[in-house]
Amino acid sequence: MNDTQTNELRDALESQRKEVLYDVSRHAAKGIGVGVIADETERADKIAENMVEHALSYSESKLLEKIDHALERLACGVYGICESCNKEINVERLKAKPSVSLCIECQIKKESRVS
Ligand SMILES: [Zn+2]
């Protein structure tokens, strides 16, 4: 990976980070107002809605962790190296998803272990 590619990926990570932070703050600002709704159907809808919001914030915080981790790795000069097998991760893969820390082979192995 050359300097231009590294810089491009750093920019991509930083703008992704801003987007996630923006989404998180937007969700947090919405708040929860379930208690004050008298109508049962509306109340149920509201609860379902809140559950979706929570799931979203959870995946957002996970993504944020990954992005921060990738930025740390960039700062240490180990970005783009697979954390499992220490081989270089394909640049196209990094461009598509700059927060990945595993090469495609290790990712597949990991996913097949989980499921
Ligand atoms: Zn690997």
Side-chain angles (χ1 to χ4, degrees):
M1 196 160 47
N2 61 40
D3 283 353
T4 316
Q5 285 168 327
T6 311
N7 286 333
E8 270 175 25
L9 289 163
R10 181 186 288 116
D11 284 350
L13 280 166
E14 278 168 358
S15 63
Q16 206 181 5
R17 191 172 190 278
K18 274 186 209 141
E19 273 170 40
V20 178
L21 282 175
Y22 175 75
D23 280 350
V24 170
S25 62
R26 218 169 31 132
H27 287 141
K30 269 193 181 175
I32 301 171
V34 180
V36 290
I37 301 163
D39 185 282
E40 274 305 315
T41 321
E42 205 178 312
R43 197 182 147 97
D45 281 353
K46 194 79 194 165
I47 291 169
E49 205 178 281
N50 280 324
M51 282 166 74
V52 173
E53 293 278 316
H54 277 294
L56 251 179
S57 333
Y58 179 74
S59 63
E60 279 162 348
S61 65
K62 280 281 158 201
L63 179 60
L64 200 60
E65 258 174 45
K66 278 188 175 178
I67 294 171
D68 280 344
H69 187 58
L71 283 167
E72 267 170 40
R73 287 166 60 79
L74 250 173
C76 299
V78 292
Y79 179 72
I81 308 291
C82 174
E83 287 194 312
S84 177
C85 68
N86 290 322
K87 283 183 200 154
E88 273 190 37
I89 302 172
N90 186 295
V91 176
E92 293 309 313
R93 173 166 161 78
L94 289 170
K95 280 185 187 165
K97 215 177 169 192
S99 57
V100 291
S101 57
L102 293 174
C103 71
I104 191 74
E105 285 87 2
C106 294
Q107 185 70 46
I108 291 168
K109 266 186 237 164
K110 191 184 165 196
E111 275 164 17
S112 62
R113 250 204 323 265
V114 172
S115 55

